[in-house]
């Protein structure tokens, strides 16, 4: 592998910073899209899992959907203790969590 000149290294560093910034921005958008989809889904359903939303979403970065669901379990959702097989071919039926809306009783119990 050839050594980069100083100018090439500066350009590569600038490129890497720009790409990192784009990834952070996309991730933020992905997280917001998924969170919005969860809120909309929960208006009409008692439970939610990644299976329910996967086909409703545009392409989002891998791991964002389950990550948002887990993140929302800190205040809006609560894990039901139930798992279902994933319907995503990439996960080969790996168990995924099912969540429900957190209620006032859940909050009181946690306090």
């Amino acid at each position: 592998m050839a050594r980069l000149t100083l100018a090439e290294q500066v350009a590569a560093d600038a490129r890497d910073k720009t790409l990192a910034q784009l990834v952070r921005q996309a991730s933020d958008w992905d997280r917001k899209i998924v969170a919005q989809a969860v809120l909309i889904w929960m208006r009409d359903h008692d439970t939610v899992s990644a299976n329910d939303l996967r086909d409703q979403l545009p392409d989002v970065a891998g791991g964002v959907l389950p990550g948002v669901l887990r993140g929302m379990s800190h205040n809006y959702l609560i894990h039901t203790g139930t798992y279902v097989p994933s319907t995503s071919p990439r996960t080969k039926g790996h168990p995924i969590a099912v969540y429900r809306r957190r209620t006032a009783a859940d909050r009181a119990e946690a306090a």
Side-chain angles (χ1 to χ4, degrees):
M1 185 165 162
R3 273 189 81 122
L4 298 178
T5 66
L6 182 56
E8 290 170 330
Q9 186 61 51
V10 168
D13 290 346
R15 177 204 60 213
D16 292 345
K17 287 180 184 175
T18 300
L19 290 174
Q21 182 180 5
L22 290 172
V23 168
R24 281 192 303 275
Q25 289 170 347
S27 255
D28 188 44
W29 182 86
D30 286 350
R31 285 190 301 271
K32 288 178 181 179
I33 288 294
V34 172
Q36 184 179 26
V38 170
L39 295 173
I40 291 168
W41 180 267
M42 291 307 293
R43 287 189 310 200
D44 299 323
H45 300 87
D46 295 329
T47 62
V48 63
S49 75
N51 288 344
D52 299 320
L53 299 176
R54 194 176 294 111
D55 294 336
Q56 308 298 318
L57 292 166
D59 286 334
V60 295
V64 171
L65 178 53
V68 167
L69 287 168
R70 279 190 299 267
M72 292 180 85
S73 71
H74 295 291
N75 54 12
Y76 182 71
L77 299 174
I78 190 166
H79 185 262
T80 63
T82 303
Y83 292 86
V84 294
S86 174
T87 58
S88 171
R90 291 182 297 180
T91 61
K92 300 178 177 106
H94 182 78
I96 58 173
V98 177
Y99 298 89
R100 66 173 170 79
R101 189 177 299 114
R102 188 177 293 272
T103 65
D106 296 324
R107 287 184 192 94
E109 183 179 311

